[in-house]
Amino acid sequence: MEDLREASYNFFWAESFWLPNNYSWTELKNKDDGLYRAQFRDLSVAIYLSVIISIIRIFFERCIFAPIGHSFGLKSVVKKAPTNPILEKAFKEKKSPSNETIQRLSKQTDLTVRQIQRWFRVRRNQDRTPVFKKFCESSWRGFFYFVIFWYGVYMHLDKSWFYDSRLCWKGWPHHHVPNDIYWYYMVEFAFYISLLASLFTDNKRKDFTEMIVHHVATLLLMGMSWANNFVRIGTLVLLVHDAVDSWMEVSIVQF
């Protein structure tokens, strides 16, 4: 079993795949030259940071974005349809019944056609994510993307590869990682960990599976780029995505 585990490890981290010819992983280890190089174990820092980010998110949603949402007239309580086994059974068969079905249900329940139409309308809205909830969640994500984007722009102003992308490849894999780049990457990685975890606590939406795939793919790409020191191009990719993500979050909530 130990031999199989070692063989799998060597296969996955094959130097012939990840690194240029005649290079080994030992060359990416930190030396006594005062320059830091990305190490795969660094990503464990992001796990602890994700907990902190999740706590900050709770504070912002409850203390800042929730009062703003209430000031816009958004309601946090969803109106629920009265319990009615006959109508509930019909709802499971078809959420928007035909006029013939409504007439039949009216005779079975002694309710008027208008009352049944109202019941189905309320019942459909009951399963939807409340606009207030979407507002708080999107506001947090939009706020984070806005802040991290402009921090990323500021941080890149003194980085040579920001002005000449060819430097993302020149000298690789011997690029060192400045302290600000290190924390920029860790915070971004931690944020996507928190997003992945929050999918299981937030109201489940239609794109639940797609978002899991998206966040996992993002974490894998960031993790692999960090592991083989493709950090320079990684920061530029993050910067480009963050530039539009805040605007996309604003467009999600429609009043």
Side-chain angles (χ1 to χ4, degrees):
M1 182 63 69
E2 193 68 29
D3 293 338
L4 178 60
R5 186 180 304 173
E6 184 177 355
S8 301
Y9 179 87
N10 293 332
F11 174 79
F12 183 82
W13 294 108
E15 296 170 344
S16 59
F17 176 80
W18 293 102
L19 301 174
N21 293 333
N22 302 321
Y23 278 81
S24 65
W25 288 111
T26 56
E27 298 185 54
L28 271 68
K29 292 183 178 180
N30 285 309
K31 303 176 178 61
D32 296 330
D33 55 3
L35 301 177
Y36 192 82
R37 295 166 181 81
Q39 306 294 309
F40 187 73
R41 63 176 179 272
D42 295 335
L43 298 178
S44 61
V45 175
I47 298 177
Y48 299 102
L49 281 177
S50 67
V51 177
I52 298 175
I53 289 177
S54 297
I55 296 173
I56 294 174
R57 172 191 171 176
I58 293 173
F59 170 79
F60 270 80
E61 288 190 359
R62 293 183 180 180
C63 300
I64 298 178
F65 300 129
I68 295 175
H70 286 307
S71 69
F72 288 150
L74 302 180
K75 298 180 179 180
S76 56
V77 179
V78 180
K79 185 178 180 180
K80 294 186 177 181
T83 303
N84 191 309
I86 297 176
L87 297 181
E88 188 67 34
K89 182 179 179 181
F91 179 81
K92 291 180 180 179
E93 295 176 356
K94 194 172 184 179
K95 296 183 178 181
S96 299
S98 61
N99 291 330
E100 292 78 8
T101 303
I102 292 177
Q103 294 290 343
R104 176 173 55 81
L105 293 172
S106 177
K107 296 178 181 179
Q108 293 177 350
T109 59
D110 292 330
L111 297 174
T112 65
V113 171
R114 185 177 295 275
Q115 286 176 323
I116 293 177
Q117 290 174 337
R118 185 184 301 113
W119 188 95
F120 273 90
R121 183 172 63 254
V122 173
R123 184 65 182 83
R124 285 193 297 270
N125 292 333
Q126 180 180 317
D127 291 339
R128 295 174 180 171
T129 303
V131 175
F132 175 83
K133 181 70 173 176
K134 294 200 308 186
F135 172 81
C136 292
E137 293 176 3
S138 296
S139 295
W140 159 248
R141 292 192 296 265
F143 171 77
F144 177 87
Y145 288 132
F146 180 82
V147 172
I148 201 68
F149 167 71
W150 286 110
Y151 171 74
V153 171
Y154 171 78
M155 181 195 64
H156 277 89
L157 292 179
D158 63 345
K159 304 298 185 292
S160 56
W161 66 87
F162 183 61
Y163 306 96
D164 185 0
S165 59
R166 292 175 298 180
L167 296 177
C168 291
W169 323 107
K170 187 176 181 180
W172 177 82
H174 294 295
H175 295 158
H176 75 279
V177 180
N179 193 51
D180 52 358
I181 292 290
Y182 175 92
W183 287 109
Y184 177 67
Y185 231 84
M186 292 300 109
V187 170
E188 289 272 19
F189 200 85
F191 177 71
Y192 280 101
I193 293 177
S194 69
L195 286 185
L196 179 61
S198 66
L199 287 176
F200 299 93
T201 57
D202 295 340
N203 289 348
K204 187 173 291 188
R205 301 178 182 175
K206 295 180 180 179
D207 61 351
F208 176 78
T209 303
E210 290 80 356
M211 292 308 298
I212 288 181
V213 174
H214 172 270
H215 294 333
V216 170
T218 302
L219 290 170
L220 285 174
L221 289 171
M222 291 184 64
M224 294 302 100
S225 67
W226 183 266
N228 66 352
N229 212 20
F230 270 130
V231 177
R232 292 185 178 183
I233 190 62
T235 60
L236 295 183
V237 171
L238 288 171
L239 197 63
V240 171
H241 280 269
D242 292 338
V244 297
D245 280 341
S246 58
W247 299 104
M248 291 179 61
E249 293 297 337
V250 171
S251 67
I252 289 178
V253 180
Q254 298 179 1
F255 298 98

